[in-house]
Amino acid sequence: MRYCNTLIAVKDMPASLQFYKDLFGLEVATDLGWCKTLTCGLTLQEHFDEIAGFPIETMKYRSNTMELYFETENFQEFLTLLDAHPEVERLHEPRTYPWLQQGIHIFDPDGHLIEISESMYSVACREFEKGASIEETAQRTQHPVHVVQAWHEKYQSPAAPTMSVCGTDCSACSCYGNMCEGCNACSGRVFHAPEGHACAIYDCVTHQKKLKNCGQCDSIPCQIWMDTKDPSFSDEAFSENVKTRVQNLKDTPL
């Protein structure tokens, strides 16, 4: 026996697909008509009442009894993206929880509750940067010491193996581990690149300029970065994304 995924009932598939693409960068991985599975593993199901055998009048789309949970390494970047979609209903404005994590709750088009919070690793790193010890960070974040110890070891490591040449942390991507194992693992041949070819940025850095990453290039951020903008990003969100990636590369030892 194994757990497979989570399925939620939706009334308007196109509207739901657009919502999850715009806010979370998710695409359809498996299309079965009324049933579509997204790249993160979440499944959207139209006509769920007919398939499951529920009377349609019993379908409760705003039950407030469960939530979908997403984490991000850059919470402010997500808020910038969210601000570009004023049509999205918020349960509350961004808040900081007692364990120091920032988060927000929003609703999808069918009233399913979604929480988006910064990863606890990001929270711990912020404490480490302030000079907090492992024990102090464990107390402040309300997490076991052995968990914080692992975060600290990762924090002190020279560079995350999931850090791409363009400064993107692949492990923070919703496709990582599902559709993609990361830029370094697949030599830049990510799912969104032309079949059989590496991403234009990866190809430029690794194959053409023979550099370790874009941080060694005088042209960062270059036109190739601009040309490979994720279409789900607003101009403001993309600008923040570029700043974050540049900073990531500055923090990566050469």
Side-chain angles (χ1 to χ4, degrees), residues 50-238:
E50 297 180 34
I51 296 171
F54 291 123
I56 192 169
E57 64 271 14
T58 68
M59 297 290 290
K60 302 184 186 302
Y61 284 90
R62 201 183 181 93
S63 65
N64 293 340
T65 57
M66 60 86 71
E67 71 172 21
L68 302 176
Y69 180 73
F70 291 83
E71 282 191 349
T72 175
E73 297 300 318
N74 193 325
F75 186 63
Q76 293 305 313
E77 181 179 294
F78 175 77
L79 291 182
T80 299
L81 175 61
L82 183 61
D83 287 341
H85 293 274
E87 75 281 3
V88 176
E89 182 183 356
R90 307 183 184 196
L91 176 63
H92 58 78
E93 290 305 308
R95 60 173 58 156
T96 300
Y97 298 102
W99 49 92
L100 306 184
Q101 184 184 38
Q102 299 177 87
I104 189 172
H105 284 84
I106 64 175
F107 294 96
D108 80 353
D110 292 289
H112 297 298
L113 185 63
I114 303 174
E115 177 182 348
I116 304 94
S117 291
E118 60 179 337
S119 73
M120 287 305 300
Y121 172 68
S122 297
V123 176
C125 286
R126 193 160 57 241
E127 293 303 300
F128 298 149
E129 289 170 2
K130 295 177 183 177
S133 67
I134 292 172
E135 290 72 19
E136 290 170 333
T137 302
Q139 182 179 21
R140 295 172 187 173
T141 61
Q142 302 179 19
H143 275 65
V145 172
H146 74 274
V147 173
V148 179
Q149 174 71 50
W151 288 339
H152 191 259
E153 291 175 359
K154 179 180 178 181
Y155 172 75
Q156 289 186 311
S157 64
T162 55
M163 185 68 70
S164 71
V165 297
C166 70
T168 298
D169 184 354
C170 293
S171 65
C173 176
S174 60
C175 299
Y176 182 70
N178 297 311
M179 295 179 63
C180 182
E181 294 303 320
C183 295
N184 297 327
C186 67
S187 299
R189 292 182 176 84
V190 289
F191 69 94
H192 54 77
E195 187 174 355
H197 296 276
C199 159
I201 299 176
Y202 189 95
D203 181 63
C204 174
V205 173
T206 305
H207 301 146
Q208 297 181 38
K209 296 185 177 179
K210 310 294 183 183
L211 301 176
K212 179 181 178 181
N213 57 49
C214 292
Q216 296 179 315
C217 180
D218 295 333
S219 301
I220 180 177
C222 67
Q223 188 59 45
I224 299 178
W225 279 39
M226 303 302 113
D227 293 340
T228 52
K229 170 190 173 184
D230 186 331
S232 68
F233 280 169
S234 65
D235 290 342
E236 293 81 6
F238 181 63

